[in-house]
Amino acid sequence: MSRAPEEDGVRAVTPSFTVTDLRASIRWYTRILGCAVIERWERQGVPTGASLSLGGARLVLSQDDGALGAGRSLGAGVRLYFRLGGDLDAFAASIVARGGTLTEAPAERRWGGRDFSLDDPDGYHLTFATDWEE
């Protein structure tokens, strides 16, 4: 019988996104979403990755090295849900004011939550929500 994740000590997950242009992605995440850069990595002077935070959430961005083919779709089929503790509408408005484009405006959902969505430069889907069941 397997044990529940809590019993194994799992406390958090940090997703890592491969991106086509690391510098542009860092700019987008910091300027549009308001993320803070925790750490940057480089190899022989070339940026290779960064760790970002947004409140209690963590995200890693890694520069695509092209080994799996140029021009491939990176974000298709990937969505992250962020649970927001503050004013969802104000946060959505601040993203738009900083130049972000929402793919879904803030709205009540049939399951009782309220959320909005946007896509990052590589097509990763980001949804910010309040009031969902844990």
Side-chain angles (χ1 to χ4, degrees):
M1 177 180 227
S2 65
R3 298 185 306 174
E6 295 82 5
E7 296 172 13
D8 292 330
V10 175
R11 299 285 181 246
V13 61
T14 303
S16 178
F17 290 167
T18 299
V19 299
T20 54
D21 183 337
L22 180 62
R23 288 184 177 111
S25 289
I26 290 171
R27 274 193 309 277
W28 188 87
Y29 276 91
T30 57
R31 291 181 184 166
I32 301 299
L33 287 188
C35 290
V37 177
I38 299 170
E39 191 173 1
R40 295 176 191 255
W41 304 289
E42 33 178 79
R43 184 174 296 126
Q44 299 175 344
V46 176
T48 58
S51 176
L52 308 174
S53 68
L54 182 62
R58 300 291 182 264
L59 176 67
V60 171
L61 302 176
S62 299
Q63 177 63 53
D64 187 3
D65 63 6
L68 297 177
R72 65 192 171 103
S73 176
L74 296 175
V78 176
R79 179 181 300 269
L80 285 186
Y81 285 90
F82 295 83
R83 185 171 188 189
L84 192 64
D87 184 331
L88 184 94
D89 293 286
F91 185 54
S94 72
I95 287 172
V96 171
R98 292 189 298 263
T101 302
L102 304 183
T103 57
E104 294 178 68
E108 300 291 329
R109 302 300 174 199
R110 69 178 183 279
W111 53 86
R114 183 169 176 75
D115 65 33
F116 72 88
S117 298
L118 71 161
D119 293 346
D120 86 346
D122 287 294
Y124 293 102
H125 309 294
L126 310 176
T127 297
F128 292 86
T130 59
D131 302 325
W132 79 56
E133 295 289 323
E134 287 194 20

